[in-house]
Amino acid sequence: MTHPFRKTTVAMADGRELIHFDDTEPWLSGERVRSAVDHRPLPPADETLRGGSQVRFDPLTGDWIAMASHRNDRTLMPPPDQDPLAPTVPGGFPTEIADSSYDVVAFENRFPSFSNRIGGQAGFLDGEELWPTRPAAGRCEVVCFTSDTRGSFATLTPHRARTVLEAWIDRTEALNATEGVEQVFVFENRGEEIGVTLPHPHGQIYGYPFVTPRTATMLRRAREHREATGRNLFRDVLDAERRAGDRVVLSTEHFTAYVPAAARWPVEVHLAPHRDVPDLAALTDAERADLVGAYLDLLGRLDRYYPDDHPMPYIAGWFQAPAHEGREEFRLHLQVFSVQRGPGKVKFLAGSESAMAAWINDTTPEKVAARLREVSQ
C-alpha cells in the first residue's frame, strides 16, 4: 500500500521554498492547511546570495572545489530555545519553520554551498586558463525529520521514517530535473564528532553542479568492469559479498547490508537493494517499505556496537546515479560510516588519509560485521 502523505509548498520570508510532508491529521486529510506566515525581517535570498559561491577547477586533480565563504557565518550549536529547525511557537524564537508544529519539512538552506540564486558568469581566475571558474549553481536543502529537538533518523518510528524516505524521493526527482544539477546527494550527519552544527534531527540534500569526484571514480571503474566482463560492477560486488557471507550484517527480501571487503572507516556498512535501480525514486512501494525496516535495524545495531550509552556518530549517504550520465552503470546504495574507533576514541584523518588519500583501517571488516550481527535485537 502506498504510504499516505500530503505535500504543501510555502514561501519563507526571504523567498526561499519550504515544503511540508504531512503524515498526521488534520494536515494529512487537508482538513487544515499550512497557512502560517514567516514574518522575519530577512532580506531577499536572491540579493543575499547573488555572487556568493563559486566553483574553481583544480588542474592537478580535475576536481571542482566550491568557495562558499558566507557559510562561515552559519549557526553553530545554538541554545535549546533558539533551535532554528524547531517549530515557531507564539512569543518564541522565530525559526526557519513558521508553523507551530510540523511532521517533515524540506527547505532551501539559508547558507547554501550551491544555489541557482547566485548568478554570474563562467570565467578564468586571474585570467589564467589553468583555473576555470563558474558560479556554484545547484541547490542545497535541509530536511527536518521531526519537530522533536533531539534524536536522529535512528530514533524515528517506521511510519515517520517512511515519510522522510518519501521526502527524499520527492526531492531527488525534483532536483534531478533542476537546471544545472548533475548529481543529487541525500545524507545525514550525526554527532559532534562528525562536525554537526545543529543537534536537531535533520539531514541535507545537495544538488551538485558537477558529478562528484567519488562518483566519477566509481563510474569509471564500473565502465571498465563492464567493458571487461559485460557485467555490472555494483551487482558483482553485492553478489560476491552475499556468497562470502562473513561480512553480511543483515538481509531482507529486498536489501542486504554488508561491511565492504576494503572498508576504509573503523565502522562502515553498505546497504544495497537486490534489484538494479539507479536511485531512490526507482524503488517500488514494497522495496520502500522493506528499506525502512532494514535501515532502522542497521542504525540500531550501530548504536549498540560499543558498550556505552553514547549514540554512534556517523555519516549516512545515499549514493545515487547522476542526473544525466552513468544511469545504466551506477547502482543505488547507502554508505554509512563512523569515525569512532572505540568508546571515547575517534579516528583522525591524519597524514596518510588526508594528504595522500591512502587509507589505513585499525580493524578488519570481518570483525566489524561479526559484532554488528551479534548486537541484533
Side-chain angles (χ1 to χ4, degrees):
M1 179 179 177
T2 303
H3 181 73
F5 68 92
R6 178 176 291 273
K7 177 183 173 182
T8 308
T9 302
V10 299
M12 304 171 78
D14 55 1
R16 286 177 293 138
E17 187 178 47
L18 184 145
I19 307 164
H20 283 272
F21 297 88
D22 287 310
D23 60 14
T24 62
E25 297 294 356
W27 317 104
L28 176 60
S29 63
E31 180 182 339
R32 289 186 62 186
V33 296
R34 296 293 182 182
S35 58
V37 177
D38 185 356
H39 292 289
R40 293 175 297 171
L42 299 178
D46 284 352
E47 294 180 8
T48 59
L49 294 177
R50 187 174 297 129
S53 298
Q54 182 185 70
V55 291
R56 298 181 179 181
F57 186 75
D58 180 351
L60 298 181
T61 65
D63 297 342
W64 287 97
I65 311 299
M67 307 293 165
S69 59
H70 62 282
R71 283 180 53 78
N72 209 31
D73 298 324
R74 66 188 186 275
T75 307
L76 175 63
M77 288 300 179
D81 63 348
Q82 295 183 26
D83 176 0
L85 306 184
T88 298
V89 297
F93 177 76
T95 75
E96 292 279 71
I97 301 96
D99 282 82
S100 59
S101 68
Y102 66 82
D103 292 338
V104 176
V105 296
F107 59 89
E108 290 181 73
N109 198 322
R110 187 177 175 186
F111 303 97
S113 300
F114 309 101
S115 174
N116 282 340
R117 299 179 185 275
I118 289 169
Q121 301 294 322
F124 296 97
L125 183 66
D126 300 330
E128 295 283 353
E129 293 188 3
L130 273 175
W131 300 312
T133 67
R134 62 191 195 208
R139 178 142 159 157
C140 291
E141 297 185 352
V142 176
V143 181
C144 296
F145 304 153
T146 171
S147 59
D148 295 338
T149 58
R150 288 291 182 268
S152 65
F153 192 97
T155 62
L156 299 177
T157 65
H159 182 78
R160 177 52 52 79
R162 177 63 186 272
T163 304
V164 174
L165 173 59
E166 294 295 338
W168 289 343
I169 290 168
D170 177 276
R171 304 317 301 148
T172 292
E173 291 182 308
L175 294 184
N176 270 342
T178 297
E179 183 179 359
V181 170
E182 294 297 328
Q183 184 176 0
V184 178
F185 181 48
V186 175
F187 64 100
E188 179 194 6
N189 298 329
R190 185 177 81 164
E192 291 186 48
E193 298 90 339
I194 295 297
V196 170
T197 58
L198 293 173
H200 192 107
H202 74 287
Q204 298 181 66
I205 304 177
Y206 274 24
Y208 293 101
F210 48 77
V211 174
T212 64
R214 185 85 184 276
T215 303
T217 297
M218 287 191 284
L219 273 177
R220 176 175 56 81
R221 296 288 298 165
R223 286 165 176 158
E224 292 171 352
H225 186 79
R226 185 179 291 279
E227 289 174 2
T229 68
R231 299 192 303 270
N232 182 281
L233 176 60
F234 295 93
R235 159 61 62 182
D236 280 0
V237 168
L238 176 62
D239 289 348
E241 290 289 3
R242 296 182 74 187
R243 283 195 302 270
D246 56 347
R247 288 178 298 276
V248 170
V249 175
L250 64 89
S251 190
T252 65
E253 180 181 359
H254 298 289
F255 286 86
T256 290
Y258 61 90
V259 181
R264 290 169 164 78
W265 300 91
V267 181
E268 178 179 349
V269 188
H270 295 187
L271 178 63
H274 295 164
R275 190 170 63 91
D276 294 345
V277 294
D279 54 26
L280 290 167
L283 295 174
T284 66
D285 191 67
E287 288 169 333
R288 297 177 191 188
D290 191 44
L291 172 57
V292 166
Y295 190 23
L296 290 175
D297 182 357
L298 175 57
L299 293 179
R301 293 175 194 236
L302 291 175
D303 279 347
R304 295 187 293 273
Y305 187 88
Y306 292 118
D308 59 25
D309 295 328
H310 182 66
M312 180 178 285
Y314 64 71
I315 295 173
W318 287 99
F319 284 65
Q320 306 189 86
H324 303 111
E325 66 169 287
R327 294 187 67 81
E328 293 299 320
E329 290 92 356
F330 207 86
R331 201 171 184 281
L332 169 71
H333 66 284
L334 169 82
Q335 295 189 17
V336 55
F337 55 88
S338 179
V339 296
Q340 189 172 2
R341 61 183 178 86
K345 299 178 181 179
V346 172
K347 177 179 177 64
F348 294 101
L349 302 187
S352 187
E353 288 89 358
S354 293
M356 299 305 294
W359 290 78
I360 301 168
N361 202 333
D362 300 321
T363 184
T364 66
E366 293 75 18
K367 289 180 180 178
V368 174
R371 174 59 179 167
L372 286 168
R373 289 194 298 268
E374 179 184 315
V375 295
S376 65
Q377 273 191 341

